[in-house]
Amino acid sequence: MCSIGVWGDYARVELWKKRARVYMEKTKRFLVSFCREIWKAGRDDPRKAVHSIKVGLSLSLVSLLYLLEPLFNGVGANAIWAVMTVVVVLEFTAGATLCKGLNRGLGTLLAGSLAFLFEFIARESGKVFYAVFIGTSVFLVGAMSTYLRFFPKVKKNYDYGIVIFLLTFNLITISSYRVEDVLKLARERLYTMAIGSGVCILMSLFIFPIWSGEDLHTFSVSKIEGLAKSIEACVDEYFSDREADVGKDKSMEDPIYENYKAVLDSKSTDETLALYASWEPRHTWHCNPFPWQQYVRLGAVLRHFGYTVVALHGCLQTEIQTPKSVRLLFKDPCTRLGTEVSKALMELANSIRNHRQCSPEILSDHLHQALQDLDTALKSQPRLFLGGNGSNPANMLALVALSKPEKQLSSVKTEASALSEWRSKRVSKQSIEAEGRSLRPTLSKIAITSLEFSEALPFAAFAALLVEAVAKLDLVIEEVEELGRIACFKEFELVADGVILNVEDKSKIDVNLPSNTSE
C-alpha cells in the first residue's frame, strides 16, 4: 500500500511538471509571436513608433502642471483637464489633431462665454428663479446643439466641437449654482484646455509631422497600382495553362482580390483623409493648395474602374468556361491589351507619386493596335459565338408542358363530396410540391443540356469587360490630368540624349550627365 501511494504521488508530480512545461511553452510562443507582431508593425510603418513617442512626451509635459508646485498653484486641480485633452486630441496625423484641437478650443471658449453670460443674467434674481433659469437654459442649449449635429456639414466638421460645447456648458452652468466664483472655474477650464491643445498642435506640426494629405496622396497611388496589377494578373491567369479550381471560393487568399480590395473599401478612408487634409496648412515648399476634393473624385472613378476588375476576376471562377483551344485563338491581342492597360495605370500612378503631369502619349499606339487586333480576331471567328444547331422549340415546349400542371374545370358538388375532394386535393398538392422540389434541379439540367450554347460566350463576356476597362481608363486619365492641373504638378519632361524636352513649351535644357563613351 505504501509503495502504491508513493507511486501515485510521483505520477501526480510528473503530471504537474508536464502541464507546467506545456504552459511555459505556450507562454513562450505567445511572447515570441507578440514581439514579432510589434516589430512587424513598427517596421512596416515607422511613423507609428514616432507617434507613440510623441504621445508619451506630450503626456509627460502636461503632467508637469501637477508635479511642479508653481505650475500647480497657478492652474489648480483643473490641471487634469490638460492631461485629458492630450489623450483625446493628439491623433496620428496633423490634420486630425488640428480638427479635434480647434474644435475643442472653440467649443470650450463658446461654452464658457455663454455660461458666464447666463450666470451674470440670472445671478441678479432670486434663488428660485436662478434654478429655473439654469434648467431652462440647459434644456434649450442641449436640444438646439443636438439638433445641429444632424446637419451633414456640421456633423462632418464640427461634431466633436459641439460635444465639447455641451459638456463644458453643462459643467460650468450647473456648477455655478453651488460655486460662487464661476468666472474662476471657466478661466481655469479654458487655460488647461488651451495648454493641452497647444502641446498637441506643436507636437503634430513641428516634431516629425505626419500629414493626412500625404497619406491620401500615397493611398491614391497604391490604389492605381493595385488595379494595374489585378488586371494584368487576371489576363495572365485566364490564358494560363494550369487548371483553375472552379467553384472553390479562394477570394480571401487570392492576390488579385487583395490588390483591388483596397479600392472597393476606399470610400470611407478617402473622405476621412480628405476631411483632415482640409484642416492642414500649406506645408509644401511652393505652398500650393492641396486638392483634397479632387482626390475624392479620383477615388470614386477608381472604384467604378474596380467594379470592372471585379467582374474580370469573376470570369476566372465561373462554372461555364471556354475551352482552352478557343481561348488560345485570342490570347495574343487580349494579353497585349491587358498589358497596355496595366502600363497606362502604372504611368498614372508614377505621375501622381512624382507630382508631375502624365505623359501626353499615355494612350499609346500599342493600346489602339491591341484593340484593333482583338476586334479583327473576334470578327474572324463568327461561328464560335453562334450555337451549333440552335435550340429545339419542340423540346422546350415539352419541358414547359411537363413543368406546369394541367388546369381542370371545377363542378358543383355536395358539401361532403366537396370536403373530401378538398382534402384529397390538399394531399395531392403537397405531394406535387415535394416532387417539384426534387425534380426542379433535374429539369434545369435537362434544359441546359438541351440548349447548345456557344462555347465562346464566356470568353465574349471576358473580352467585353476588357474593352470596358479601356473605356473607363479614359475617365481615370481625365481625373488624373485635372488633379495635376489643380495641384500645379510639374510638366512632363522627356529625357533623351542628355537633353530634357519640356513637352509643354518645347524648350531644351542641357543636363550634365556622366558619359560612358570613350570620349
Side-chain angles (χ1 to χ4, degrees):
M1 294 294 293
C2 183
S3 61
I4 294 176
V6 172
W7 176 254
D9 294 339
Y10 176 76
R12 283 194 295 271
V13 171
E14 289 297 323
L15 180 61
W16 280 106
K17 286 183 179 180
K18 183 178 179 180
R19 290 179 178 178
R21 285 195 296 269
V22 173
Y23 177 75
M24 292 297 295
E25 190 67 25
K26 289 183 178 179
T27 305
K28 180 181 178 181
R29 287 199 299 267
F30 172 76
L31 292 176
V32 171
S33 176
F34 182 70
C35 293
R36 286 178 179 174
E37 289 294 327
I38 294 177
W39 177 258
K40 182 177 182 298
R43 183 184 59 188
D44 294 341
D45 193 355
R47 301 179 303 170
K48 297 178 180 178
V50 174
H51 176 69
S52 302
I53 295 174
K54 288 161 63 175
V55 172
L57 182 58
S58 301
L59 291 173
S60 299
L61 290 176
V62 295
S63 65
L64 296 178
L65 298 176
Y66 254 96
L67 300 178
L68 298 180
E69 191 70 22
L71 296 178
F72 182 79
N73 293 333
V75 178
N78 287 315
I80 192 63
W81 286 101
V83 180
M84 295 175 61
T85 300
V86 171
V87 173
V88 175
V89 170
L90 189 54
E91 294 287 341
F92 183 70
T93 61
T97 302
L98 283 171
C99 178
K100 298 189 74 173
L102 296 178
N103 269 276
R104 190 178 183 89
L106 184 62
T108 303
L109 180 62
L110 292 178
S113 303
L114 188 61
F116 177 72
L117 177 63
F118 284 3
E119 192 273 340
F120 179 77
I121 295 174
R123 182 67 69 178
E124 304 296 331
S125 60
K127 198 73 172 179
V128 177
F129 178 78
Y130 188 24
V132 174
F133 185 81
I134 288 178
T136 305
S137 62
V138 167
F139 168 76
L140 292 176
V141 172
M144 293 175 61
S145 301
T146 304
Y147 187 74
L148 284 175
R149 296 179 63 190
F150 291 106
F151 290 89
K153 292 184 178 180
V154 176
K155 186 175 182 61
K156 181 180 178 180
N157 294 282
Y158 308 107
D159 185 70
Y160 181 71
I162 294 177
V163 172
I164 297 301
F165 170 81
L166 276 177
L167 176 64
T168 306
F169 177 80
N170 285 279
L171 177 66
I172 297 176
T173 303
I174 298 175
S175 299
S176 65
Y177 189 75
R178 301 294 181 182
V179 178
E180 294 295 333
D181 193 1
V182 68
L183 180 61
K184 180 181 178 182
L185 178 65
R187 185 175 60 249
E188 291 178 352
R189 175 81 169 87
L190 182 62
Y191 287 168
T192 53
M193 181 281 308
I195 293 173
S197 298
V199 171
C200 294
I201 293 175
L202 289 176
M203 283 289 178
S204 298
L205 294 180
F206 300 103
I207 299 180
F208 298 105
I210 302 171
W211 305 105
S212 298
E214 292 182 358
D215 284 352
L216 181 59
H217 180 87
T218 306
F219 186 53
S220 301
V221 173
S222 65
K223 288 188 297 183
I224 298 177
E225 291 179 342
L227 291 175
K229 295 176 182 177
S230 296
I231 286 185
E232 190 170 12
C234 282
V235 176
D236 292 341
E237 185 173 344
Y238 189 78
F239 294 100
S240 63
D241 295 332
R242 67 176 185 273
E243 291 291 338
D245 296 332
V246 180
K248 184 177 180 181
D249 187 11
K250 298 174 62 179
S251 60
M252 296 306 295
E253 56 185 20
D254 194 342
I256 300 177
Y257 172 77
E258 294 297 329
N259 284 328
Y260 66 71
K261 176 184 176 182
V263 180
L264 303 180
D265 302 336
S266 64
K267 179 177 174 59
S268 176
T269 305
D270 287 344
E271 293 179 351
T272 302
L273 290 176
L275 172 63
Y276 292 151
S278 65
W279 286 86
E280 292 176 350
R282 299 183 183 181
H283 52 274
T284 59
W285 180 258
H286 300 287
C287 292
N288 293 325
F290 186 81
W292 51 272
Q293 292 180 337
Q294 184 62 29
Y295 277 100
V296 174
R297 286 191 286 268
L298 175 61
V301 173
L302 291 178
R303 281 192 297 275
H304 285 282
F305 191 93
Y307 301 150
T308 305
V309 180
V310 173
L312 275 175
H313 190 209
C315 292
L316 307 179
Q317 301 173 343
T318 55
E319 295 290 339
I320 303 175
Q321 292 287 339
T322 301
K324 290 184 178 179
S325 58
V326 178
R327 277 186 272 180
L328 289 176
L329 297 175
F330 309 97
K331 179 179 179 181
D332 181 63
C334 288
T335 302
R336 288 192 288 114
L337 187 60
T339 302
E340 293 300 326
V341 173
S342 179
K343 285 182 180 179
L345 289 173
M346 293 299 291
E347 168 62 23
L348 293 176
N350 291 329
S351 67
I352 297 177
R353 179 188 293 109
N354 299 324
H355 298 275
R356 64 167 174 80
Q357 299 282 353
C358 58
S359 172
E361 299 178 355
I362 186 170
L363 294 178
S364 61
D365 296 335
H366 299 288
L367 179 62
H368 296 289
Q369 185 62 39
L371 277 174
Q372 293 292 334
D373 293 344
L374 178 59
D375 181 66
T376 303
L378 292 174
K379 290 180 178 179
S380 64
Q381 304 289 339
R383 297 176 62 86
L384 291 176
F385 300 96
L386 299 175
N389 298 324
S391 58
N392 193 344
N395 293 338
M396 294 302 299
L397 290 175
L399 287 172
V400 173
L402 287 174
S403 62
K404 291 184 179 180
E406 295 181 359
K407 294 183 180 180
Q408 298 179 353
L409 295 176
S410 59
S411 58
V412 179
K413 296 180 175 61
T414 61
E415 294 183 358
S417 61
L419 180 60
S420 61
E421 185 177 355
W422 176 79
R423 289 177 178 175
S424 62
K425 283 184 177 181
R426 183 178 181 185
V427 173
S428 62
K429 183 178 180 180
Q430 291 177 353
S431 62
I432 290 173
E433 289 179 354
E435 185 179 0
R437 285 193 295 268
S438 62
L439 291 179
R440 192 175 295 115
T442 306
L443 291 175
S444 63
K445 289 182 179 179
I446 294 174
I448 291 176
T449 54
S450 65
L451 296 175
E452 296 182 1
F453 286 108
S454 169
E455 294 178 338
L457 283 183
F459 168 76
F462 182 84
L465 290 171
L466 200 58
V467 175
E468 179 68 15
V470 177
K472 290 185 177 180
L473 180 62
D474 288 335
L475 302 178
V476 178
I477 294 175
E478 290 178 2
E479 294 299 330
V480 173
E481 290 178 346
E482 182 67 15
L483 174 64
R485 186 187 65 81
I486 298 176
C488 301
F489 284 176
K490 58 185 178 183
E491 299 296 336
F492 177 78
E493 295 175 344
L494 179 64
V495 179
D497 298 331
V499 177
I500 293 181
L501 301 178
N502 190 300
V503 180
E504 183 68 20
D505 54 10
K506 308 298 183 181
S507 60
K508 297 184 179 181
I509 304 176
D510 293 334
V511 177
N512 296 322
L513 297 178
S515 177
N516 295 326
T517 60
S518 58
E519 297 179 358

